[in-house]
Amino acid sequence: MGIEGVDIANKLFPKETGEIPYEIGTAVVVVSGFEKQLLLNPSLVSEQFTSEERLHCEDKPEKLAGRHAGKIAISQVLRYLNPHDVSIEPLSSGQPAVRLSGWAEHSAGPKRIHISIAHDADLAAAMVLSSPQNLPSPGIGLDIASVDRISEAIGKHGDRFLKRQYTQSEIDESSGDMEILTEKWAGKEALAKALGTGFWRDGVAFTDVEIIGSEANLTGGALARARELGYSSWRIHIQRSVSDTIVSYAIIY
């Protein structure tokens, strides 16, 4: 597991759980830098991505960058060598799933590999969790949100946006600080992905996930969904990346 993956795993799992039975890998890729690499060496696309991945991504740099970040994160938990041994393909729900072959499949053994990918502004990021088959699989979620995007939405829609997306306690705590509001947004989205649903699906609303300080609370449809899946605990880790962009990691188990 990479250094950042170890650090995030330690933040997502409480210390009282003892030894963590899961491995986490993470990666953040600057899309414009990755696009320059592809322009300088067009053969990288065929070298790094399977035909299924290329078909799904339609040669769009941000989508390819997300897959590239995913493969870096996977390499941290599997130590695989050949990018074509890993294919990140969408499920019918649109969520990404990992298909392994060759050395990657051998390296994974009985482990299950879970992945979450996000991109916003000029960043693409991925979070991967390796789960033993004899243990319940946690849900994981990752989201990226730029301060500019959230500021623009609030500037355009005002109180209507705030009251639809945030609880009153979140609004009060943020005191209009756009970075704090963006952190809460990214945390909410990451937890929604960890639940296996987006907002407004399966009866889950934005205000069903409340983030106060570094703690996340689930109510309403979000709590019902967690209980339905047999989950009773959830945690988030939020950090600032480059260019006023927030990256949030979530796990529910």
Side-chain angles (χ1 to χ4, degrees):
M1 173 160 45
I3 294 174
E4 185 177 350
V6 173
D7 184 52
I8 291 173
N10 289 334
K11 288 181 170 64
L12 290 176
F13 290 98
K15 293 181 180 178
E16 59 268 22
T17 59
E19 184 178 353
I20 300 171
Y22 309 103
E23 284 191 281
I24 289 177
T26 63
V28 178
V29 173
V30 178
V31 176
S32 58
F34 179 70
E35 186 175 11
K36 287 179 182 177
Q37 291 182 42
L38 297 181
L39 291 173
L40 291 172
N41 187 1
S43 64
L44 279 178
V45 174
S46 59
E47 292 171 0
Q48 297 293 320
F49 303 102
T50 65
S51 57
E52 291 83 3
E53 289 174 316
R54 298 197 300 272
L55 179 64
H56 172 70
C57 293
E58 300 173 331
D59 292 330
K60 294 180 179 178
E62 68 276 11
K63 289 189 174 183
L64 290 172
R67 261 57 184 176
H68 181 58
K71 296 194 180 197
I72 294 173
I74 292 168
S75 71
Q76 294 171 11
V77 300
L78 293 187
R79 291 87 181 173
Y80 75 94
L81 299 176
N82 186 348
H84 278 255
D85 287 349
V86 175
S87 186
I88 303 171
E89 302 169 11
L91 299 171
S92 57
S93 63
Q95 295 175 314
V98 178
R99 179 170 60 82
L100 304 176
S101 60
W103 173 253
E105 184 177 22
H106 172 77
S107 178
K111 298 176 183 177
R112 290 170 292 192
I113 306 299
H114 313 272
I115 189 168
S116 183
I117 295 175
H119 29 73
D120 189 15
D122 194 32
L123 293 183
M127 175 185 182
V128 166
L129 181 137
S130 172
S131 169
Q133 287 191 359
N134 63 335
L135 293 177
S137 294
I140 64 169
L142 164 75
D143 192 66
I144 301 176
S146 66
V147 176
D148 286 347
R149 179 164 66 89
I150 301 304
S151 298
E152 183 180 343
I154 293 173
K156 182 177 181 180
H157 301 289
D159 286 346
R160 184 162 62 91
F161 177 89
L162 286 172
K163 292 179 179 179
R164 187 177 183 183
Q165 314 298 328
Y166 301 95
T167 67
Q168 189 59 50
S169 294
E170 289 175 318
I171 294 171
D172 293 342
E173 185 186 54
S174 68
S175 298
D177 188 306
M178 292 300 168
E179 183 172 333
I180 294 175
L181 288 168
T182 304
E183 290 175 350
K184 294 182 185 299
W185 171 282
K188 288 167 176 278
E189 287 283 3
L191 262 172
K193 291 180 181 180
L195 283 168
T197 179
F199 288 116
W200 309 116
R201 288 172 47 200
D202 298 327
V204 179
F206 274 93
T207 50
D208 289 343
V209 179
E210 181 181 67
I211 297 175
I212 301 297
S214 60
E215 299 296 321
N217 303 308
L218 303 186
T219 59
L223 182 59
R225 173 70 173 171
R227 288 174 172 169
E228 177 187 341
L229 295 171
Y231 297 136
S232 59
S233 300
W234 42 86
R235 294 174 72 87
I236 59 169
H237 171 58
I238 300 172
Q239 64 185 35
R240 174 182 277 246
S241 189
V242 299
S243 303
D244 289 331
T245 303
I246 306 300
V247 181
S248 178
Y249 305 87
I251 191 163
I252 184 165
Y253 52 97

